[in-house]
Amino acid sequence: MIATDDLRFFLSLSTAGSLAQAARALDVTPPAITQRLNALEKRLGVRLVNRSARGIALTEEGRLLAMRAAQICNDLTLLADELAGRRGVVAGHLRVVAPLGFGQRYIAGLVADFRSRSEDVTASLTLSDGPPRLASDNWDVMVHIGELRDSTLVAYPLAPNRRILCASPAYVARRGSPTTPEDLRNHDCIALRENDEDVTLWRFRRARGAGVAVRIAPVMSCNAGATALEWARAGHGIIARSEWDVTAHLRTGELVPLMAGWNLPDANVVALVKSRQELSARTAGFLASLRAAFAQPPWHKASA
């Protein structure tokens, strides 16, 4: 017989790279992880995990158990949500994923506010500058900015978000201002590596006319938007950045927009869910909170 706690334990173990990493995730000691895994393998009569100096790897039986455990735990969660919904109770654990900088500024407070209004809800917020794991089951709502590549997900529009080419007044005074995309080849450009896109190919379009793409040779690059922004504010080069991040600096004059009449592709903000039909009461409630909060984008407000 295998208990639900055993299934959840093995799911956590299956996503860890080592027993030590699993111990940290479960807030126990590595010997406790080893002891529980040994007991589970003995009870089931199969080896679930191969251990080595490089880490752990699931056996064929371990992969089967992890797959079925995920299905069972998800079904139990959906059942609990459905029963809670029939009682009119918003309950359970809300898992939100968002980009690092945007999530810190705009999403973290909304998660905290939602949880404070729903006493039977717990919440976790995962922030990352890396590419999102869209296929993962480890989230309920994902806030996403830019092009969406997984068409199987359901997207709820939250806010329009232009991308703006800009630099500091000091940079413009020193190097001049580009007027066409081709001019950028002779300027110091700063690239932001936030995902697996070709970040050195910048695409532009006039209000009317064909698009133009230019290959930049960045003098600096970083995978953190905040760092790239600080470099630009300090006069080190030109950035292409979302308006949610630069609007306040454009208002104060710390940054100035460049190449009037040329537009970068928009990077609109959306909330993603896996299915419209299987929304729990807490997920639906948080989506409503998101949409209300971004009905007027915060960066469009004078105090943003």
Side-chain angles (χ1 to χ4, degrees):
M1 190 69 165
I2 185 168
T4 304
D5 284 349
D6 291 326
L7 296 178
R8 298 190 187 281
F9 160 76
F10 193 73
L11 267 180
S12 295
L13 180 64
S14 69
T15 59
S18 67
L19 295 179
Q21 184 179 338
R24 288 192 295 271
L26 294 171
D27 197 22
V28 298
T29 64
I33 291 287
T34 300
Q35 183 178 9
R36 185 166 184 180
L37 175 59
N38 290 341
L40 181 59
E41 289 179 327
K42 183 177 180 180
R43 196 181 329 142
L44 296 177
V46 294
R47 189 171 185 82
L48 301 172
V49 175
N50 289 322
R51 296 84 152 171
S52 72
R54 293 176 297 177
I56 59 175
L58 300 185
T59 64
E60 184 176 347
E61 292 77 13
R63 289 192 294 272
L64 174 61
L65 178 59
M67 180 186 68
R68 295 299 300 275
Q71 294 171 345
I72 293 169
C73 289
N74 185 60
D75 287 344
L76 289 173
T77 298
L78 291 176
L79 176 59
D81 289 342
E82 186 175 347
L83 293 174
R86 292 192 178 190
R87 302 197 315 272
V89 174
V90 179
H93 187 65
L94 176 69
R95 303 164 299 176
V96 182
V97 176
L100 179 59
F102 187 87
Q104 288 175 324
R105 190 177 305 181
Y106 297 116
I107 304 301
L110 296 177
V111 172
D113 290 344
F114 181 76
R115 204 228 64 82
S116 68
R117 297 193 307 269
S118 309
E119 295 182 355
D120 293 319
V121 170
T122 59
S124 60
L125 173 62
T126 301
L127 302 174
S128 174
D129 266 335
R133 294 172 56 197
L134 296 178
S136 170
D137 288 328
N138 296 324
W139 55 272
D140 300 303
V141 178
M142 178 181 290
V143 178
H144 182 72
I145 300 175
E147 181 183 0
L148 178 62
R149 298 185 178 184
D150 189 337
S151 61
T152 65
L153 300 175
V154 179
Y156 291 85
L158 293 181
N161 176 49
R162 294 182 301 122
R163 294 174 67 235
I164 300 172
L165 194 75
C166 53
S168 71
Y171 176 87
V172 173
R174 187 176 75 252
R175 296 292 309 278
S177 178
T179 58
T180 68
E182 289 78 10
D183 291 344
L184 292 171
R185 294 192 176 96
N186 299 315
H187 277 269
D188 295 340
C189 296
I190 298 170
L192 179 58
R193 305 187 311 273
E194 285 186 310
N195 47 47
D196 57 357
E197 293 178 2
D198 187 349
V199 298
T200 65
L201 188 66
W202 289 5
R203 302 179 185 278
F204 297 88
R205 183 179 295 276
R206 285 190 179 277
R208 294 180 180 178
V212 174
V214 60
R215 177 74 64 183
I216 62 164
V219 296
M220 304 173 77
S221 65
C222 184
N223 68 331
T227 298
L229 176 61
E230 288 307 305
W231 286 343
R233 291 174 63 195
H236 294 298
I238 296 172
I239 58 170
R241 194 71 181 125
S242 288
E243 64 173 316
W244 69 260
D245 200 23
V246 299
T247 294
H249 303 296
L250 293 171
R251 287 197 185 105
T252 62
E254 293 176 282
L255 295 173
V256 293
L258 304 175
M259 283 174 40
W262 290 95
N263 299 316
L264 289 156
D266 291 339
N268 296 332
V269 185
V270 299
L272 304 176
V273 297
K274 301 185 189 75
S275 169
R276 202 183 302 272
Q277 285 73 36
E278 297 181 358
L279 290 184
S280 65
R282 66 177 177 276
T283 299
F286 185 67
L287 274 176
S289 295
L290 282 175
R291 299 178 81 177
F294 288 98
Q296 181 183 0
W299 50 93
H300 287 176
K301 301 174 184 177
S303 59

